[in-house]
């Protein structure tokens, strides 16, 4: 029996460094497949379909919503963004692990479909002061937008309760190392190895 | 807030190599505290109280049973054997991990008291033929006893269903390495890190 891959979901409030952690994790373990989002926004110069995003028309996207073919989706400033379920399942069935970087709202939806199969990791900032520093550090937003984003991030912290793992992102390389340990542990998880019990049972004569 | 240690339970049918795995694991990670059993059998020459066993009188042991102070216990050939709960809790409270090597019946009892806090690892033989080879390899038993032990071991395999992790013991060093990954992952497990959410919550002004 071929083992399926694991769905690794990296989530957490904005400003906790999901993007950087995922980038470094993929460098450390290149055989993990990063899940590519679908979007209805126009490709920017240099962006490639199937690499940066799956670029879809509004009609195609709405069709996918209607057919329940997205793990999660959201509308942001008139554009749709979402995670196509088929692609994720395809890669998992091939035995490879899939990495999903996603906000806490999206992660909640993915849990509904993958609660048992997914590995849900919640990133935390070392402190609220550091969170504010990181959100301000982007330097692209008005004071009002920063305040809004910060208070939204703080509101999301208790959602960590619903995850499998919680990691404080103090040093990125430490976080990546912990995730690599989690991935290895998950390969030994009982729900990934029930076939071994059956296999031994079948040896009985 | 000080983090508590984890209870690591290594179990599995007889002949799967629990003892060897635990010995090598303690060599690899000497800061793990091996849980010492209590027994009413007489110490053999060289055996030290509190190192090899806690040597108790029958009355002391029965008192512990009556006061529910054993995680699990069994009577074998007129002697009692069991795991004192106080010692385990003491070490866990001090922040250290405790290792428990235990048969599948004992593990079931420990699960009743430590289901959420414990990490339950089930060892499997690579095949039933290999299991028989290992049980015969001890060379100390009659053919009848061997047959009985083997069929008991086979009957226990489906119990792996109730564990957190399943590992096939093909190469001991690989098993130890997997357990080390599991221990590291468990330190990130949500139930070991809920204080971090509370801590960040408390920073709010």
């Amino acid at each position: 029996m071929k083992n399926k891959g694991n769905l690794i979901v990296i989530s957490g409030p904005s400003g906790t460094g999901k993007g950087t952690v995922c980038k470094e994790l993929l460098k450390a373990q290149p055989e993990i497949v990063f899940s590519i989002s679908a979007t209805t926004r126009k490709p920017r110069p240099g962006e490639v379909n199937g690499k940066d995003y799956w670029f879809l028309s509004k009609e195609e996207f709405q069709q996918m919503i209607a057919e329940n073919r997205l793990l999660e989706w959201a509308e942001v400033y008139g554009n749709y963004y979402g995670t196509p379920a088929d692609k994720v399942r395809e890669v998992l069935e091939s035995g490879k692990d899939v990495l999903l970087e996603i906000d806490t709202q999206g992660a909640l939806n993915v849990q509904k479909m993958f609660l048992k199969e997914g590995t849900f990791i919640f990133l935390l900032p070392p402190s609220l002061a550091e969170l504010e520093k990181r959100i301000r550090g982007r330097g692209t937003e008005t004071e009002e937008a920063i305040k809004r984003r910060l208070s939204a991030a703080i509101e999301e912290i208790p959602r960590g309760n619903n995850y499998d793992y919680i990691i404080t992102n103090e040093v990125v390389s430490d976080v990546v190392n912990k995730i690599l340990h989690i991935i290895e542990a998950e390969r030994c998880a009982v729900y990934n190895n029930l076939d071994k019990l059956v296999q031994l049972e079948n040896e009985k004569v």
Side-chain angles (χ1 to χ4, degrees), chain A residues 66-81:
Chain A
E67 291 171 357
N68 204 18
R69 285 170 53 206
L70 294 161
L71 289 187
E72 52 83 36
W73 62 273
E75 200 182 344
V76 184
Y77 299 125
N79 290 314
Y80 288 112
Y81 295 84

Side-chain angles (χ1 to χ4, degrees), chain A residues 126-194:
Chain A
S127 66
L128 295 190
E130 178 64 26
L131 182 71
E132 182 167 357
K133 207 174 119 194
R134 287 182 193 176
I135 287 176
R136 284 192 183 281
R138 297 180 181 175
T140 54
E141 292 177 306
T142 65
E143 183 63 23
E144 198 200 327
I146 288 173
K147 287 244 160 73
R148 206 168 46 225
R149 189 185 283 271
L150 181 63
S151 90
I154 293 172
E155 289 306 312
E156 289 173 38
I157 288 173
R159 293 193 184 166
N161 259 306
N162 304 314
Y163 285 67
D164 300 313
Y165 299 97
I166 293 177
I167 305 177
T168 300
N169 183 7
E170 203 135 14
V171 178
V172 173
S173 59
D174 288 349
V175 177
V176 168
N177 193 37
K178 283 174 181 168
I179 298 174
L180 292 174
H181 279 81
I182 290 169
I183 292 171
E184 198 56 51
E186 287 290 325
R187 293 202 178 114
C188 302
V190 61
Y191 48 85
N192 282 326
N193 292 281
L194 292 173

Side-chain angles (χ1 to χ4, degrees), chain A residues 20-204:
Chain A
T20 313
V21 164
C22 285
K23 222 175 72 187
E24 293 301 315
L25 179 62
L26 290 168
K27 268 193 217 162
Q29 197 111 300
E31 63 269 39
I32 298 174
V33 178
F34 188 70
S35 163
I36 297 159
S37 300
T39 184
T40 58
R41 83 153 165 72
K42 297 266 169 298
R44 291 179 192 139
E47 283 186 339
V48 177
N49 188 40
K51 185 172 167 252
D52 299 290
Y53 282 99
W54 300 104
F55 293 104
L56 302 179
S57 70
K58 205 157 188 168
E59 292 68 34
E60 288 172 317
F61 203 103
Q62 286 168 335
Q63 176 99 16
M64 288 185 83
I65 296 173
E67 291 171 357
N68 204 18
R69 285 170 53 206
L70 294 161
L71 289 187
E72 52 83 36
W73 62 273
E75 200 182 344
V76 184
Y77 299 125
N79 290 314
Y80 288 112
Y81 295 84
T83 304
D86 295 356
K87 302 280 175 192
V88 169
R89 290 195 198 282
E90 231 168 70
V91 180
L92 292 177
E93 290 295 335
S94 81
K96 286 185 182 163
D97 290 342
V98 175
L99 178 64
L100 200 58
E101 176 204 337
I102 204 171
D103 64 22
T104 60
Q105 186 56 49
L108 261 183
N109 290 324
V110 176
Q111 278 186 325
K112 285 179 200 152
M113 292 166 100
F114 277 95
L115 184 57
K116 285 209 121 181
E117 304 154 85
T119 303
F120 293 85
I121 301 172
F122 193 76
L123 296 186
L124 280 180
S127 66
L128 295 190
E130 178 64 26
L131 182 71
E132 182 167 357
K133 207 174 119 194
R134 287 182 193 176
I135 287 176
R136 284 192 183 281
R138 297 180 181 175
T140 54
E141 292 177 306
T142 65
E143 183 63 23
E144 198 200 327
I146 288 173
K147 287 244 160 73
R148 206 168 46 225
R149 189 185 283 271
L150 181 63
S151 90
I154 293 172
E155 289 306 312
E156 289 173 38
I157 288 173
R159 293 193 184 166
N161 259 306
N162 304 314
Y163 285 67
D164 300 313
Y165 299 97
I166 293 177
I167 305 177
T168 300
N169 183 7
E170 203 135 14
V171 178
V172 173
S173 59
D174 288 349
V175 177
V176 168
N177 193 37
K178 283 174 181 168
I179 298 174
L180 292 174
H181 279 81
I182 290 169
I183 292 171
E184 198 56 51
E186 287 290 325
R187 293 202 178 114
C188 302
V190 61
Y191 48 85
N192 282 326
N193 292 281
L194 292 173
D195 57 318
K196 289 190 181 151
L197 303 180
V198 177
Q199 214 169 301
L200 282 173
E201 282 292 293
N202 289 343
E203 281 181 33
K204 275 199 284 187

